[in-house]
Amino acid sequence: MIVVQCPECNSTSVVKYGKIHNGKQGYRYHSCHRQFVPNSTKKFVSKESKSLIDQLLLERLSLAAIARVAEVSETGLQDYVNHKVIYTSPLLENQPKKGGSNPAMR
């Protein structure tokens, strides 16, 4: 039986909970229902890579080029960009526009 402590509820009581796309057994914590796969091979992008990606996005390179340089998948990069757009768009809507003439100043 798998004995892994939950990072949220500290429980060690798990039950089998289906299989993921590559056939690995999934598990779920009995108390909080959080799901996990032991010995997952999912790779997380480091903070350094994220800052590199942010700089390359400002350079207006294609996503394929950024994915090659940062050594991340294109789909993972697209997810990251979509996430950034969702959470920064409301902030951009409230920014005053640069340049041009302000009608109130005439």
Side-chain angles (χ1 to χ4, degrees):
M1 189 65 167
I2 301 296
V3 180
V4 180
Q5 190 171 8
C6 177
E8 290 188 17
C9 70
N10 297 323
S11 172
T12 57
S13 175
V14 297
V15 293
K16 287 185 176 182
Y17 198 69
K19 296 191 184 230
I20 63 171
H21 67 280
N22 61 6
K24 287 187 176 182
Q25 179 66 53
Y27 293 90
R28 184 180 64 146
Y29 290 102
H30 214 254
S31 56
C32 69
H33 305 291
R34 180 183 169 130
Q35 299 174 28
F36 72 99
V37 175
N39 303 323
S40 174
T41 57
K42 183 173 182 173
K43 298 177 184 174
F44 293 96
V45 179
S46 67
K47 290 182 180 181
E48 294 83 17
S49 293
K50 286 181 181 180
S51 69
L52 173 64
I53 290 169
D54 291 341
Q55 291 173 356
L56 294 173
L57 285 170
L58 292 174
E59 295 294 327
R60 299 179 58 103
L61 296 174
S62 69
L63 291 181
I66 294 172
R68 280 192 306 272
V69 171
E71 297 178 350
V72 296
S73 70
E74 288 185 41
T75 54
L77 177 60
Q78 184 67 61
D79 290 342
Y80 176 72
V81 171
N82 291 346
H83 185 265
K84 286 189 76 77
V85 169
I86 289 170
Y87 289 103
T88 57
S89 293
L91 299 173
L92 295 175
E93 291 173 1
N94 297 328
Q95 296 291 326
K97 294 184 179 179
K98 295 181 181 178
S101 60
N102 188 347
M105 300 299 267
R106 289 184 191 173

